[in-house]
Amino acid sequence: MIYRWMHLRLTGPLLAFGGIAIDHVGPSRDFPSASMLTGLFANALGWRREETERHQALQDRLVFGALIARQGRVLTDSQNVQLKANDRGWTTRGRPDERAGGTYDSPHRRRRDYLADHDCRIVLRLTPEDEPDIGTLARALDQPARPLFIGRKPCLPSVRLFQGWLNAPTPRAAIGALGLSGRALWPATDAEDEDEGSILDLADLRNWRSGLHGGSRRVIEGEIPGGVE
């Protein structure tokens, strides 16, 4: 069966695809997680973070593959700040975010990794058919309810995110239809694809009801040869 796939391009001066954070260290994967894509779409649709059932239902419906068209370099941002009770933070909602805690005597430290000049392509569809449908997601990316960012608020896209439609039977075939070469990731649902790369258990799911990350999915990582852009 042939399906319609959305083609997304995630690129910009800085991107952050997240990863397993330990203590104050926040790494970035080379490929976006299912939870990150869910958050990107939810932000475009104007959903509130408290709408956990909506987020969970959307994440459960995502079927996608990804290809690195240009590998970025890792840029590490080390942050040290003295937090006071009356400090405010910038938000995409148009009003400052006030802190509820007290003043910290010691510096608050964080380390965050970013990908500089990275270019990642996504092929994506939704199953089962429901609302929002894939056309609604495409329109929301072109006319988002709020400003969009890729992973973290400083990571603004430098091109249109929605790049058009592809027709293909599987995620691997949809990636091939891009006409690009590079390292790719796609769901391990077709036994014929298993010879094309390494099978991994990827921990990139979020339990939106609890607010915690947990759960993994079986994927294949491999090289897509040839291709002309």
Side-chain angles (χ1 to χ4, degrees):
M1 183 177 294
I2 303 298
Y3 300 100
R4 185 171 70 152
W5 301 80
M6 175 190 295
H7 173 202
L8 306 180
R9 184 178 183 185
L10 306 182
T11 189
L14 292 176
L15 305 182
F17 290 152
I20 298 176
I22 300 176
D23 197 15
H24 66 288
V25 179
S28 177
R29 295 187 173 103
D30 290 338
F31 297 98
S33 64
S35 59
M36 195 224 80
L37 291 176
T38 301
L40 175 67
F41 290 132
N43 193 36
L45 291 164
W47 292 357
R48 301 188 310 277
R49 183 182 292 272
E50 296 80 12
E51 297 179 277
T52 57
E53 295 300 327
R54 272 183 157 184
H55 285 72
Q56 189 66 55
L58 179 58
Q59 178 179 275
D60 292 344
R61 295 172 60 210
L62 296 181
V63 180
F64 69 96
L67 178 138
I68 300 173
R70 183 178 64 244
Q71 177 65 53
R73 60 183 179 87
V74 176
L75 185 151
T76 300
D77 179 24
S78 296
Q79 305 169 0
N80 297 279
V81 62
Q82 188 81 29
L83 292 175
K84 300 183 182 300
N86 59 352
D87 285 340
R88 296 182 175 187
W90 176 85
T91 72
T92 57
R93 300 188 300 274
R95 61 179 183 273
D97 187 22
E98 298 184 4
R99 296 186 64 250
T103 297
Y104 287 86
D105 294 331
S106 300
H108 182 66
R109 304 185 190 278
R110 294 203 313 177
R111 198 185 84 183
R112 295 292 183 265
D113 287 343
Y114 295 85
L115 293 171
D117 298 321
H118 197 67
D119 187 351
C120 185
R121 308 301 179 91
I122 307 296
V123 294
L124 180 144
R125 71 182 185 91
L126 300 175
T127 183
E129 294 293 335
D130 202 349
E131 291 295 333
D133 61 23
I134 198 169
T136 300
L137 296 188
R139 290 189 293 273
L141 292 176
D142 278 343
Q143 297 181 313
R146 292 191 292 262
L148 299 181
F149 51 89
I150 304 175
R152 300 191 186 114
K153 290 178 183 177
C155 303
L156 304 180
S158 60
V159 301
R160 182 189 183 195
L161 294 181
F162 173 58
Q163 293 283 306
W165 303 102
L166 300 166
N167 293 312
T170 66
R172 170 62 182 85
I175 293 173
L178 294 172
L180 300 171
S181 61
R183 188 157 52 97
L185 197 76
W186 64 93
T189 55
D190 191 339
E192 294 181 359
D193 293 343
E194 294 181 2
D195 294 335
E196 297 194 41
S198 302
I199 301 178
L200 308 170
D201 285 317
L202 181 62
D204 73 338
L205 301 176
R206 181 186 180 104
N207 185 322
W208 291 92
R209 300 177 182 92
S210 69
L212 301 175
H213 282 81
S216 62
R217 57 192 181 95
R218 185 65 61 91
V219 300
I220 298 174
E221 181 175 335
E223 291 287 334
I224 304 298
V228 178
E229 189 169 7

